[in-house]
Amino acid sequence: MAAPASTVLQFNLKIGNDLINVYAESIMEGEELLEALLDSGIPQKYHDAVSKLSAVNAVVATPAPSPAPARSTAPASVPGPAAPAPAAASDAPMCDHGLPARHVPGGISKKTNRPYPAFYACAQPRDTQCSFRANAE
């Protein structure tokens, strides 16, 4: 949708996958419209929902049941190394948000090409993460 010809200010707000366009004819009207949007609670409700889903996803790592193996005449492949099991929720320390931190397995840094040990980090989305870090034992 194109902005009306009388538009002086245009705000484009992306909340999740939704795009909200706010058109205003003056700075004062723009401030009033943005304030009304914030008062509606839409951005906070979205943020709260994403935070809760991220926390649940970090804690509950239940693998889907594997399907029954199909019969094949092709040679069997050799499985790769098994991924380490995620730490139980009770074992994970709490981050600054008061939620269980996610376990980050040790590996090789892409930036420095040096090994790093396993650690725990905030499980929130990147833009809302706290600075919590703890060594995994």
Side-chain angles (χ1 to χ4, degrees):
M1 175 178 165
S6 60
T7 299
V8 174
L9 295 171
Q10 177 178 344
F11 301 97
N12 300 314
L13 306 168
K14 186 172 182 188
I15 300 177
N17 291 329
D18 298 321
L19 183 63
I20 298 173
N21 296 315
V22 178
Y23 305 110
E25 294 180 13
S26 69
I27 293 174
M28 185 185 304
E29 181 186 21
E31 289 173 340
E32 290 171 0
L33 291 171
L34 286 175
E35 196 170 300
L37 178 66
L38 292 173
D39 288 344
S40 73
I42 292 171
Q44 186 61 43
K45 289 176 186 173
Y46 175 79
H47 178 268
D48 293 346
V50 169
S51 296
K52 288 176 185 173
L53 287 172
S54 296
V56 169
N57 188 36
V59 173
V60 181
T62 310
S66 56
R71 294 189 177 237
S72 172
T73 58
S77 62
V78 177
S90 62
D91 294 343
M94 298 294 177
C95 75
D96 296 342
H97 292 104
L99 299 170
R102 70 181 169 94
H103 180 263
V104 179
I108 304 293
S109 169
K110 292 178 184 176
K111 290 182 181 177
T112 64
N113 205 27
R114 293 183 181 169
Y116 60 87
F119 62 95
Y120 287 95
C122 179
Q124 295 291 317
R126 185 174 295 245
D127 60 335
T128 59
Q129 281 183 349
C130 62
S131 59
F132 176 80
R133 297 285 185 272
N135 293 330
E137 299 188 22

